[in-house]
Amino acid sequence: MKARLFSLTAVATLAGILSLPLEAQIRGSEHSLVTQTVDGTTISVDYYRPRARGRDPIFGGVVDWGHLWTPGANWATTFEFSKDVELNGHPVPKGKYSVWMIAQPDLWEVILDPNDSIFHLLRPPLTAKQIRISVTPVEGTYAEVLTFSFPLVRSDGTDLVFQWGTTQVPMQVTVQSTQTLTVEPEAAAPYPGVYDVVEVGPHHEMPPAERTRTHSQMKLTYSGGHLTALWDMGGNQGDENGVVEVMMVPVSDQVFHLGWMQGGELYETEMDLWVEFVVEDGSATGFKVRFGILDEIVWEGTRVN
């Protein structure tokens, strides 16, 4: 009787354990999902994260040189792209891919397979449908847990970095721009010059008597198909001299969005700021910058050179 009671108790205990939600389980390689959106394109990495657990070396040890493996555990790691992209300059159509790597001391190969649901031990055969990319590993700070991250985001893409132990494998994702940034030479001709800029807003919450008019100077140039400017705004804006880099992002004839730049690179387009130029006899005489939501003029520019 006691044996039967023990058996029933054991079965009941086991049933209770099996009924626990999966979220309550502790896994040796926990699941992770990281995503990054750049200019309307979403890049996702879905993977399981093994720990080093004192194993050394990881590459050339835990992972053999020249061995095809997925950078993760359990089910194969996947990359998913919501639109067509380039990975290290290689075209990658939108979609979801299982990810495989071949590690070597000086050069790795990243392989994207269109079969996105593969158990990590069932390595895919090499086929013409796969996308194969060479990448160069670098030394970095130690990571106990296998990690994918997006440490740098640009206006045209992002860096996707794999890291485990002290080994990092950086990859560059380039996305398709949703905006036209270039201006044809004939269309750009009226605008280069020096403008005196007066701040006239935003003052929608300020009585007229308290409104100030602060002057600054903008030098607008055309190079490489882009209309860019150095705007000496003074104060706490821009670099140590108060100079801000901007780009005129074309919208329609004589109308642009204002784009903010740093180090010659566009990092944000201000969709609520509209730059409307006044052109007379083929030359811009000035512009107004409107805040779109309130349709309020915040800056006015007058050509001085």
Side-chain angles (χ1 to χ4, degrees), residues 124-278:
L126 302 182
T127 70
K129 293 183 178 181
Q130 294 168 338
I131 299 170
R132 304 168 70 88
I133 300 165
S134 295
V135 294
T136 302
V138 297
E139 286 290 309
T141 56
Y142 181 79
E144 165 67 17
V145 185
L146 187 150
T147 301
F148 281 95
S149 63
F150 298 96
L152 180 63
V153 179
R154 303 174 300 279
S155 61
D156 64 346
T158 179
D159 285 357
L160 170 57
V161 176
F162 162 82
Q163 182 176 6
W164 199 15
T166 59
T167 299
Q168 293 184 358
V169 179
M171 294 164 276
Q172 189 174 84
V173 183
T174 304
V175 305
Q176 297 178 345
S177 177
T178 60
Q179 302 174 64
T180 300
L181 304 180
T182 57
V183 184
E184 292 298 321
E186 298 80 6
Y191 306 112
V194 178
Y195 297 82
D196 177 66
V197 184
V198 179
E199 181 183 2
V200 294
H203 295 305
H204 54 278
E205 297 178 351
M206 189 179 298
E210 299 180 15
R211 299 179 185 178
T212 60
R213 296 176 65 85
T214 303
H215 287 258
S216 57
Q217 190 175 85
M218 177 189 292
K219 183 178 181 180
L220 184 59
T221 59
Y222 179 71
S223 178
H226 299 121
L227 279 168
T228 59
L230 294 178
W231 191 350
D232 186 358
M233 302 183 74
N236 297 321
Q237 305 290 333
D239 62 18
E240 66 270 13
N241 298 316
V243 177
V244 178
E245 297 177 78
V246 299
M247 177 183 289
M248 300 296 166
V249 180
V251 176
S252 61
D253 188 31
Q254 301 178 18
V255 179
F256 301 81
H257 283 307
L258 194 61
W260 304 108
M261 304 177 67
Q262 188 169 8
E265 180 180 316
L266 178 69
Y267 69 86
E268 183 176 3
T269 304
E270 196 71 65
M271 303 301 287
D272 290 328
L273 289 178
W274 304 78
V275 186
E276 300 176 353
F277 281 88
V278 177

Side-chain angles (χ1 to χ4, degrees), residues 77-150:
T77 294
T78 61
F79 288 174
E80 186 170 8
F81 308 98
S82 66
K83 298 180 182 180
D84 295 352
V85 300
E86 289 185 356
L87 186 62
N88 279 23
H90 293 260
V92 179
K94 73 173 183 178
K96 190 174 184 180
Y97 304 84
S98 61
V99 182
W100 305 86
M101 292 181 172
I102 299 175
Q104 298 286 7
D106 299 319
L107 191 68
W108 286 33
E109 190 168 31
V110 177
I111 301 167
L112 306 185
D113 192 287
N115 185 351
D116 61 26
S117 184
I118 307 177
F119 192 65
H120 74 108
L121 295 177
L122 303 177
R123 301 174 182 88
L126 302 182
T127 70
K129 293 183 178 181
Q130 294 168 338
I131 299 170
R132 304 168 70 88
I133 300 165
S134 295
V135 294
T136 302
V138 297
E139 286 290 309
T141 56
Y142 181 79
E144 165 67 17
V145 185
L146 187 150
T147 301
F148 281 95
S149 63
F150 298 96

